[in-house]
Every structure is written in C-alpha cells, then in structure tokens.
C-alpha cells in the first residue's frame, strides 16, 4: 500500500520558519498550502494535503536543546523528472536549507536512482528522487543531437 500522508513535528517557536521553508522548497513539485485545521498545524500537498507540519510546544525540561525531535527523520518526494530534482534542491537552498547531497545519480542504490538531499531548518533530511532512466527525458535526446535541424540544402531561399 502507498503512503497516504506524512507528518513531522517541529518546535512551535520555529513553526512559521519551517512552514515557509517547505512551502518554498516544495513549490517546484506543485505543493501548496491546503489547510490549517487548528493552530500550529498545516497541510501541504500537490493535489491534497499529504504532508503535514505540526508545531509542538515542549514540556518544561523536556528537551533543553530546544528541538522537539530527538533524532532527525528522512523522507523523500517522488518526482516525475530529473529537472524537478534540481528545482527542488535549488528552491530548498534558496529557502535556507543546507545541502546534504547535490542533484545527481546514486548508482550505489540502483542505476536509475537520481536524487538530491537537503537538511531542513530543524535537521530533517529531505530528498527529491526520480527513478526514471535518463533516456526518458527530453534533455537526454536534445543533448544527443537527434533534434538538430538538417543543414540547408542550398535551395536559394536564404
């Protein structure tokens, strides 16, 4: 079964910062804000809210470092082409994320794995991944020269 939705918890004091980061980072993937059903909860998604962010107030003495999460998590957004992997990465860096792996092939996973990784403001490792092989993208064929126009035939209509 596919995942229906995913949610992360962030410190309530950093809620607005994290929401702004994800709205900018996920915009190239078609994500928008769909709803804020209650205070400090937002649902983002391309078609419906499948990615949720919740600002959590800490209990006194719960975590002196100020981070709600004890350990960062990793999640990936499946995208339809390699250009979106690059767009995602650029948007994330522009929104204040930290590069955790530039766009490119990851043959250690498999021969079609193409991804980029970014750390969000609270340390979560987020990824955009495209599993389509390079030859399924127009850029591959454009670079191969198959779209170059043929040389002029000398018909005198120059």
């Amino acid at each position: 079964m596919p995942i229906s939705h995913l949610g992360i918890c962030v410190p309530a004091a950093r809620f607005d910062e994290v929401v702004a980061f994800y709205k900018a980072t996920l915009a190239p993937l078609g994500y928008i804000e769909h709803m804020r059903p209650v205070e400090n909860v937002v649902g983002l998604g391309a078609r419906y809210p499948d990615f949720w962010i919740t600002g959590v107030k800490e209990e006194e003495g719960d975590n002196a470092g100020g981070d709600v999460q004890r350990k960062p998590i990793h999640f990936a957004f499946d995208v339809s082409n390699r250009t979106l992997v690059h767009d995602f990465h650029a948007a994330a860096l522009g929104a204040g994320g930290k590069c955790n792996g530039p766009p490119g092939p990851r043959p250690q996973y498999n021969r079609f794995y193409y991804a980029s990784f970014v750390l969000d403001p609270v340390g979560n490792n987020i990824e955009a991944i495209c599993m389509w092989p390079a030859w399924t993208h127009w850029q591959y064929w454009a670079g191969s020269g198959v779209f170059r126009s043929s040389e002029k035939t000398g018909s005198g209509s120059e």
Side-chain angles (χ1 to χ4, degrees):
M1 295 242 121
I3 295 173
S4 168
H5 59 277
L6 170 74
I8 62 171
C9 293
V10 302
R14 299 187 71 187
F15 178 76
D16 292 332
E17 172 193 5
V18 174
V19 169
F21 170 83
Y22 277 103
K23 285 173 72 171
T25 297
L26 299 178
L29 309 185
Y31 273 63
I32 60 170
E33 180 177 323
H34 284 276
M35 63 175 62
R36 291 187 185 230
V38 296
E39 183 181 2
N40 283 335
V41 175
V42 63
L44 307 174
R47 292 179 203 75
Y48 64 92
D50 60 6
F51 181 64
W52 293 85
I53 303 169
T54 302
V56 179
K57 294 179 183 170
E58 295 182 76
E59 299 295 324
E60 188 173 329
D62 181 38
N63 185 3
D67 290 332
V68 172
Q69 296 171 294
R70 300 289 188 230
K71 294 183 181 179
I73 61 172
H74 168 74
F75 49 93
F77 293 92
D78 189 18
V79 300
S80 60
N81 63 65
R82 292 177 175 201
T83 299
L84 290 176
V85 172
H86 289 261
D87 293 348
F88 165 88
H89 193 259
L93 296 181
K98 294 184 178 118
C99 179
N100 198 29
R106 301 295 191 278
Q108 66 271 32
Y109 301 132
N110 74 52
R111 64 188 175 133
F112 299 129
Y113 205 106
Y114 194 91
S116 64
F117 300 84
V118 179
L119 298 177
D120 76 5
V122 292
N124 294 306
N125 182 26
I126 58 176
E127 172 185 3
I129 174 177
C130 176
M131 293 288 281
W132 292 92
W135 53 265
T136 65
H137 303 286
W138 71 267
Q139 294 97 329
Y140 173 86
W141 295 105
S144 71
V146 298
F147 293 125
R148 289 190 188 117
S149 62
S150 59
E151 294 183 10
K152 294 185 180 183
T153 61
S155 62
S157 60
E158 295 176 77

